[in-house]
Amino acid sequence: MSGTAQIGVTGLAVMGRNLARNFARHGYTVAIHNRSYAKTESLVAEHGDDGDFVPSESMADFVASLERPRKVVIMVKAGGPTDAVIDELIPLLEEGDIVVDAGNAHFPDTIRREKALKEHGLHFVGTGVSGGEEGALNGPSIMPGGTRESYASLGPILEDISAKVDGTPCCTYVGSDGAGHFVKMVHNGIEYADMQLIAEAYDLLRQGLGVSAAEIGQIFAQWNTGDLESFLIEITADVLQHVDAATGKAFVDIVLDQAEQKGTGRWTVQNGLDLGVPITGIAEATFARALSGSVPQRAAGLAALPAHAAEWEVKDRDAFIEDVRQALYASKVVAYSQGFDQIAAAATEFGWDIDRGAMARIWRGGCIIRARFLNRITEAYERQADLPLLLADPYFTDAVASGLPAWRRVVAGAAQNGVPTPAFSSSLAYYDGVRAERLPAALVQAQRDFFGAHTYKRVDREGTFHTEWSGDRTEAEA
């Protein structure tokens, strides 16, 4: 049994199980291990015909079954459980071996772990994997960090099992230490925004047109044939047309309207604040989930708060549907633009050399946010690798500008008719803010100087200044 497996997976819950099967289906001999040996046995019993598996009951046997340099993929719960597995592995590994954390780890943990394992002569590869259980089995989008040396050995295997678009693997080296998990975190943040925008579009169509969920599902199916084509639009059309077997009602109408979250959206927003990057679409989407779960507050608001809203009367059904479609596309572009700004800021902050065009390229397949217009994002960064604002690329400038009147009509109509559209509205506000010649931030800075002597800069000369507000109001250079 010694040294026969080319890669190993420890942690055989759904994602780990499917990833192990994916490796095996691509011709790799896969060492498998789980804390409960019953899961290891069931994988071999149920899916042994996928390829060659080497099951082990103990971690020591699992490690011994791997070829050198050993490549161990950890697929356990993030946080303490991951640390526990790493601690168990370290004494069993040798210099040059590679430990891959393919879970949804918080990138600061990955930076810490990479540094700790380097002291043992080991490579630690924090790897984002997107696509859910289906992607893990049939080809996910894979975002590995770590050293370039580790990628030289590990990369070809990961590229082999990843999704392919036009023959190109949806996997590439992202950057050192925590870069892979950081990019996966931002991917998930964009996913939050994308899902919220789609939900708002559904709500606008439902309330504006008064049509059934199934009819809206058909509208989304039509949208999926154009520039909005994406996995999330596709599944939305499917979900909206699904009927609950128990009640005969639209499935979406029997689901409790309280959206949950596992934390990656929250991490993205927290990091955006730390970096000073205005990821407003992602933030509003994250807060919208929090609001949906604020049960006592919603009950109190429903009982007490007046709407003073008009009753929505849509005069032209087709024109309204097209307005919502254009507003959705424009808002999605803003969400992606903000996410890529965050990646650029983090690359500068943490010393990562991240190719944003390559990130868009590997998100075209396998992952949850895969979409047609990611090709356009890749092309934008090919035209200008250091593009300061995705919205400023000529393609996206034109695309958003053509939908701007519709976007404004939709946001204004929602406000007048009492329909909450936090992601649509904040995206439009960001667009107007980033294109503004002058912002009211001048007044904010003047206020800060008044109450806290925080100083200010002037538009007409260099330097930093303070006004003696409580005295004679003379200005002095700070």
Side-chain angles (χ1 to χ4, degrees):
M1 156 174 140
S2 180
T4 60
Q6 293 144 304
I7 195 159
V9 178
T10 179
L12 300 177
V14 175
M15 286 290 289
R17 186 183 186 91
N18 283 1
L19 205 58
R21 293 177 60 196
N22 192 350
F23 285 125
R25 287 178 172 188
H26 281 81
Y28 299 100
T29 300
V30 187
I32 53 174
H33 168 267
N34 193 75
R35 193 166 295 277
S36 164
Y37 189 56
K39 283 193 175 181
T40 310
E41 290 179 309
S42 73
L43 172 54
V44 176
E46 295 169 23
H47 304 291
D49 56 356
D50 279 341
D52 295 327
F53 295 104
V54 182
S56 294
E57 192 163 358
S58 72
M59 187 68 84
D61 286 347
F62 168 70
V63 170
S65 70
L66 289 161
E67 294 178 355
R68 295 215 51 211
R70 301 180 183 93
K71 303 172 187 67
V72 179
V73 179
I74 300 173
M75 293 297 292
V76 301
K77 190 175 180 181
T82 298
D83 283 325
V85 172
I86 292 171
D87 290 344
E88 191 176 357
L89 279 169
I90 287 174
L92 302 171
L93 298 174
E94 298 174 82
E95 187 173 343
D97 288 347
I98 302 168
V99 178
V100 182
D101 175 10
N104 264 338
H106 198 193
F107 79 93
D109 288 338
T110 304
I111 293 173
R112 167 179 60 80
R113 289 165 181 153
E114 195 271 344
K115 184 178 180 181
L117 267 67
K118 186 181 289 185
E119 293 178 0
H120 294 276
L122 303 172
H123 296 282
F124 185 76
V125 181
T127 301
V129 177
S130 179
E133 57 186 86
E134 181 185 344
L137 181 61
N138 298 315
S141 175
I142 308 177
M143 297 151 257
T147 62
R148 287 193 178 275
E149 183 185 351
S150 66
Y151 192 78
S153 174
L154 180 69
I157 300 176
L158 297 182
E159 290 178 14
D160 199 13
I161 70 156
S162 72
K164 310 293 188 299
V165 175
D166 300 329
T168 301
C170 292
C171 172
T172 192
Y173 175 71
V174 176
S176 60
D177 54 66
H181 274 142
F182 181 88
V183 166
K184 174 55 163 55
M185 179 191 76
V186 174
H187 163 284
N188 284 24
I190 294 171
E191 179 185 306
Y192 273 52
D194 211 340
M195 292 171 71
Q196 176 64 25
L197 289 166
I198 290 170
E200 290 179 16
Y202 152 75
D203 199 29
L204 286 162
L205 294 173
R206 195 86 188 255
Q207 300 210 44
L209 299 178
V211 294
S212 69
E215 289 175 279
I216 299 172
Q218 291 167 5
I219 292 169
F220 272 89
Q222 181 61 39
W223 286 354
N224 198 49
T225 64
D227 54 14
L228 279 172
E229 180 189 342
S230 67
F231 173 70
L232 285 171
I233 294 288
E234 177 188 342
I235 67 168
T236 299
D238 198 358
V239 168
L240 289 175
Q241 294 178 82
H242 181 59
V243 175
D244 176 52
T247 63
K249 296 180 179 179
F251 174 73
V252 72
D253 290 338
I254 61 92
V255 176
L256 187 66
D257 62 336
Q258 296 173 20
E260 299 179 358
Q261 52 184 304
K262 288 189 173 180
T264 48
R266 185 168 61 249
W267 290 344
T268 309
V269 176
Q270 289 168 340
N271 175 259
L273 291 170
D274 290 340
L275 295 174
V277 179
I279 49 169
T280 54
I282 297 170
E284 287 296 346
T286 305
F287 287 130
R289 293 196 190 188
L291 176 62
S292 75
S294 300
V295 178
Q297 292 85 355
R298 289 181 63 192
L302 180 62
L305 301 180
H308 294 306
E311 184 155 338
W312 211 329
E313 293 183 17
V314 173
K315 295 179 180 177
D316 187 330
R317 179 184 185 275
D318 291 343
F320 180 70
I321 292 171
E322 177 59 14
D323 276 1
V324 174
R325 188 194 69 80
Q326 291 191 38
L328 175 57
Y329 187 77
S331 298
K332 279 165 67 81
V333 172
V334 167
Y336 281 75
S337 182
Q338 292 176 347
F340 279 98
D341 280 352
Q342 186 172 7
I343 290 172
T348 300
E349 176 73 15
F350 297 105
W352 298 327
D353 183 18
I354 299 178
D355 181 343
R356 286 176 289 172
M359 297 307 99
R361 187 168 59 250
I362 67 171
W363 288 348
R364 293 181 304 162
C367 71
I368 304 302
I369 64 171
R370 58 186 184 266
R372 177 191 290 190
F373 89 139
L374 282 160
N375 284 312
R376 300 293 192 178
I377 296 177
T378 299
E379 292 164 4
Y381 288 115
E382 285 174 349
R383 282 189 287 272
Q384 186 179 348
D386 61 347
L387 184 66
L389 178 73
L390 184 61
L391 284 164
D393 174 78
Y395 171 81
F396 289 109
T397 298
D398 292 346
V400 172
S402 66
L404 195 54
W407 199 6
R408 296 197 188 284
R409 284 193 294 270
V410 167
V411 170
Q416 290 171 337
N417 293 282
V419 179
T421 55
F424 271 59
S425 302
S426 66
S427 297
L428 179 58
Y430 172 85
Y431 176 90
D432 283 331
V434 81
R435 67 162 192 84
E437 183 176 353
R438 186 164 172 81
L439 292 167
L443 178 57
V444 173
Q445 194 60 19
Q447 292 169 332
R448 293 182 74 241
D449 188 59
F450 189 108
F451 66 68
H454 291 295
T455 74
Y456 54 89
K457 294 181 180 180
R458 297 177 59 97
V459 298
D460 54 358
R461 62 179 185 269
E462 295 293 317
T464 303
F465 303 89
H466 168 62
T467 292
E468 293 295 336
W469 296 101
S470 59
D472 60 4
R473 302 207 170 189
T474 56
E475 180 183 76
E477 193 159 0

